[in-house]
Amino acid sequence: PAPSTNSSNYQLGAGSGNETQLDQPKPSTTIGNSNSGTKQQQNLYSKQQPQPQQQQKQLQQSTATSLASGHNLPPNVASYPSSSTTASTSALWSEDNPFAASSATAQQQHQQLPPPPHSSGVNVNVTVNVVARPVTASTMTTTTATTTNTTTLAPPRPMQKVIPTVVYLMSRIAVHMEIEGTAQCPAQVMLAAALGCEELGITNKLLAQSVFGLWMTSPLLEVQLKPHHRPYAVRVAWSKLLDKHSHGNELEKLSDEPMTTLRRNVFFSRRDEEKIKDPRILELLYEEARHNVLLGRYVMEPSQSIMLGGIQARIELGPYNSHTHTTSYFRENQFRFLPAHVAKSSSWSWLPISQRSSAEVRLLEQFKRVPTTATTKKLMRKYLEFCWGLPFYGAAYFHGQVEQPVRGLMSLMQQKDLPVLIAVNERGIFVIDQIECTLLLGLKYEEFSWEYAKPSNVNDPECLPCIFLQFGAVENGIAATKLMQIFSRQAAMVDALITHFIEQDKRRKESGADADQAAGGLADNTYVEPNPIKNNGIGVLSNKFARLTLATFDDEGRCIGQTGSLSISY
């Protein structure tokens, strides 16, 4: 990552009133780089985002569609191609923030969908080919099926262009679709077609359309599509999205190839998910949770990873067989069941040597402990129940970087920033060290205030937008306020998603207060979910302030300490 912290200046002023406030007074400070030779500063609370000249032309030529946006951000505008399937890419994607609209406005967005190219009616032909590759102990099998669904709402009209499309599921299933007018097909239609395939066996299809959403994903960028978004338009404009929101270099951007995937809807409530009984929906949720565990996104203690690996092995391998499921087998296949940072290197796997505390031995022990009478359905739910307890379950992940604290002679040398993952869900925001797979900072929404800022020099590629987090802490028995800076090209999306969940929580509390008043004060709204994140810096799920570059303020708003390049002045 580029050492962007040496190139940007920001100013922190009076709050706008839309962010969550702490009890401690908010200091009036100026934040910048002490080594910077310029004095230009950016008003942190200024939310006006200048549009590029080319984008301004797009906005003038397209039909504006107002969407919910981040706090004090200008309304986003989405424009898509006309009836012609050969429309230029300049009109395919002009929206700044894919995460700006909430799921609460899904019905309104559905009403705002543009009319079909021909007003005489819609004739949609959908062909779904499902290729299932279940993981078994034997050789993987392949099943192919075809489902055709034709709905005629008006007299026949000329056939529109069909572009073969594939939607990938987390359960190793690829759904191949041929939809008439693919270029104009919105995400909600494609999602319904994928989930409506009979081979998936989903009984409650309407519930499934709320639980899952269509995502456009690649190693550089992950975006959940809104119901009215058109996957074809997003795919055509992908290179422009990478230029604006990704941290990849030019070679990585050139070779980046996104996929349309079916994933959990980031706006779907975890409490509602816990009530789901449909086994096929739970299976898809299990597959996604397993993927995040193995990828190291769901960080946890190694012993917990091994426990989940034992459950996964039982699901995929069946009951324990002493002749097949040996220590050497799990030593050779441990990366299949364990995250890379937990599994032992397999370069010496041919040696019949395993220590008693090695990952493969502990994995085998966990595998043996799973009852032989346990069904796959119960095991998948057990796996999910553990993941539901993780504070960042179901989060959307963004790429960012933070400055590493350096002391002594190392402070004289230029240090690269630490790449991090920024996880945002309905519970809060979490900063994860993606190299060591450990939590650096986890905050619930009522514990912090935030601001989104753009750099003073927007033309400098090494000057990145950022998110400021302000939160309370106790040091040596004294209450203080901490300030942290996270750099990310996806900071605008982080800001919009935080805003959505903050407003959603406010609406929920207001409706709860109304229900309590209607019940004569007898309603129980006092439940507070326990927070598994500790502040002692011990363990994976703990806030590690010593590894962060922070500024510290006392209860009167005076800066009493700072690390790194943050320069505080009054």
Side-chain angles (χ1 to χ4, degrees):
S4 62
T5 55
N6 293 329
S7 306
S8 45
N9 297 298
Y10 307 85
Q11 183 178 3
L12 181 62
S16 59
N18 290 333
E19 65 278 4
T20 307
Q21 295 291 346
L22 299 172
D23 293 336
Q24 293 87 350
K26 193 167 187 177
S28 176
T29 61
T30 300
I31 301 175
N33 190 306
S34 57
N35 299 326
S36 175
T38 64
K39 297 298 181 180
Q40 297 178 354
Q41 298 172 346
Q42 170 69 24
N43 190 336
L44 193 57
Y45 287 84
S46 176
K47 300 296 182 177
Q48 298 179 355
Q49 303 182 25
Q51 301 283 355
Q53 184 178 2
Q54 180 181 1
Q55 192 175 22
Q56 290 287 358
K57 295 180 179 179
Q58 296 175 17
L59 300 181
Q60 296 172 1
Q61 296 172 357
S62 61
T63 301
T65 303
S66 297
L67 303 173
S69 61
H71 62 107
N72 291 342
L73 289 173
N76 293 304
V77 179
S79 63
Y80 294 99
S82 60
S83 58
S84 173
T85 58
T86 59
S88 62
T89 59
S90 62
L92 289 177
W93 179 272
S94 63
E95 185 174 347
D96 277 343
N97 198 336
F99 282 94
S102 66
S103 61
T105 60
Q107 184 176 1
Q108 179 181 358
Q109 293 170 354
H110 176 69
Q111 297 173 353
Q112 293 176 351
L113 284 175
H118 298 278
S119 59
S120 60
V122 179
N123 185 6
V124 180
N125 298 319
V126 181
T127 302
V128 182
N129 297 325
V130 180
V131 182
R133 296 183 176 86
V135 178
T136 62
S138 58
T139 305
M140 299 172 68
T141 60
T142 302
T143 303
T144 303
T146 302
T147 301
T148 303
N149 181 14
T150 303
T151 303
T152 303
L153 303 179
R157 57 181 175 77
M159 182 80 172
Q160 296 186 56
K161 184 176 181 180
V162 174
I163 304 174
T165 305
V166 177
V167 176
Y168 295 92
L169 280 63
M170 305 302 291
S171 57
R172 303 176 180 86
I173 293 178
V175 180
H176 177 267
M177 291 181 279
E178 294 181 353
I179 304 177
E180 180 188 356
T182 308
Q184 288 78 39
C185 179
Q188 62 183 4
V189 174
M190 194 172 294
L191 174 65
L195 293 172
C197 177
E198 295 181 0
E199 282 73 16
L200 293 183
I202 298 176
T203 56
N204 195 338
K205 295 179 175 58
L206 290 178
L207 174 62
Q209 293 180 38
S210 299
V211 176
F212 301 101
L214 280 188
W215 290 67
M216 194 74 72
T217 63
S218 77
L220 300 181
L221 183 62
E222 301 176 7
V223 176
Q224 178 176 332
L225 304 182
K226 301 171 190 175
H228 68 279
H229 278 164
R230 302 178 182 183
Y232 176 78
V234 178
R235 176 62 187 91
V236 171
W238 190 252
S239 60
K240 294 183 179 180
L241 290 175
L242 292 181
D243 292 336
K244 184 176 183 62
H245 296 295
S246 77
H247 289 259
N249 56 43
E250 293 302 322
L251 182 59
E252 291 173 336
K253 294 178 183 178
L254 186 63
S255 60
D256 189 66
E257 185 68 24
M259 298 190 305
T260 305
T261 59
L262 184 81
R263 291 190 179 183
R264 185 187 184 278
N265 180 5
V266 69
F267 302 110
F268 190 75
S269 171
R270 176 184 54 85
R271 292 189 179 182
D272 292 335
E273 180 177 329
E274 294 175 356
K275 302 175 185 178
I276 296 176
K277 303 299 182 182
D278 192 309
R280 293 298 295 165
I281 294 179
L282 290 175
E283 182 179 349
L284 292 175
L285 291 170
Y286 157 77
E287 292 287 350
E288 183 170 350
R290 178 193 61 82
H291 170 78
N292 287 324
V293 169
L294 296 180
L295 201 60
R297 291 189 167 186
Y298 286 174
V299 296
M300 61 190 71
E301 299 293 341
S303 59
Q304 297 171 332
S305 298
I306 292 174
M307 181 270 294
L308 293 181
I311 297 177
Q312 178 192 341
R314 175 63 175 79
I315 294 173
E316 298 181 5
L317 303 178
Y320 169 70
N321 186 326
S322 59
H323 300 288
T324 305
H325 307 138
T326 61
T327 303
S328 60
Y329 172 84
F330 281 100
R331 184 169 59 249
E332 296 172 358
N333 295 275
Q334 58 183 313
F335 287 96
R336 175 179 169 184
F337 306 107
L338 298 175
H341 67 282
V342 176
K344 174 185 174 183
S345 174
S346 60
S347 58
W348 297 92
S349 60
W350 55 272
L351 289 175
I353 301 175
S354 292
Q355 297 180 356
R356 190 171 183 179
S357 60
S358 62
E360 64 269 18
V361 172
R362 297 167 64 189
L363 179 61
L364 177 58
E365 292 176 353
Q366 288 290 337
F367 176 56
K368 291 179 180 179
R369 293 177 184 175
V370 180
T372 56
T373 58
T375 63
T376 299
K377 179 180 176 180
K378 290 184 177 179
L379 291 174
M380 287 184 176
R381 186 165 189 93
K382 188 72 175 179
Y383 195 104
L384 280 173
E385 286 175 353
F386 177 85
C387 293
W388 287 335
L390 297 173
F392 29 72
Y393 176 79
Y397 287 84
F398 306 91
H399 297 278
Q401 56 196 63
V402 297
E403 187 179 2
Q404 301 185 72
V406 291
R407 298 173 178 85
L409 295 178
M410 295 297 296
S411 61
L412 302 177
M413 302 175 59
Q414 188 176 17
Q415 300 290 327
K416 288 187 176 182
D417 289 351
L418 176 69
V420 296
L421 287 175
I422 309 167
V424 180
N425 64 2
E426 62 180 350
R427 302 188 193 183
I429 184 172
F430 310 91
V431 182
I432 299 172
D433 183 344
Q434 63 183 78
I435 297 178
E436 298 185 8
C437 294
T438 186
L439 182 70
L440 297 178
L441 181 67
L443 300 170
K444 298 169 68 174
Y445 287 118
E446 59 267 23
E447 297 175 340
F448 72 94
S449 62
W450 89 102
E451 276 299 337
Y452 163 68
K454 299 192 68 175
S456 57
N457 186 2
V458 295
N459 297 321
D460 189 345
E462 292 190 356
C463 288
L464 304 182
C466 71
I467 292 288
F468 285 95
L469 298 179
Q470 178 181 308
F471 53 94
V474 178
E475 292 184 342
N476 301 322
I478 302 176
T481 300
K482 299 286 186 177
L483 185 68
M484 180 183 179
Q485 190 175 20
I486 307 173
F487 298 90
S488 175
R489 296 191 187 277
Q490 302 167 14
M493 293 189 285
V494 174
D495 171 70
L497 200 54
I498 292 176
T499 301
H500 164 79
F501 287 122
I502 289 287
E503 294 177 350
Q504 176 181 268
D505 186 62
K506 289 181 180 179
R507 291 192 299 266
R508 184 185 297 115
K509 290 180 179 179
E510 291 174 357
S511 61
D514 295 340
D516 182 61
Q517 184 177 4
L522 299 178
D524 184 13
N525 298 314
T526 59
Y527 173 76
V528 178
E529 190 173 75
N531 187 4
I533 300 176
K534 309 301 180 183
N535 289 325
N536 54 14
I538 301 175
V540 175
L541 291 182
S542 65
N543 290 326
K544 303 172 180 62
F545 297 148
R547 296 188 54 184
L548 301 175
T549 297
L550 303 171
T552 306
F553 302 86
D554 60 15
D555 56 359
E556 295 182 359
R558 295 173 299 189
C559 181
I560 58 177
Q562 59 196 60
T563 58
S565 63
L566 282 174
S567 178
I568 310 298
S569 61
Y570 295 88

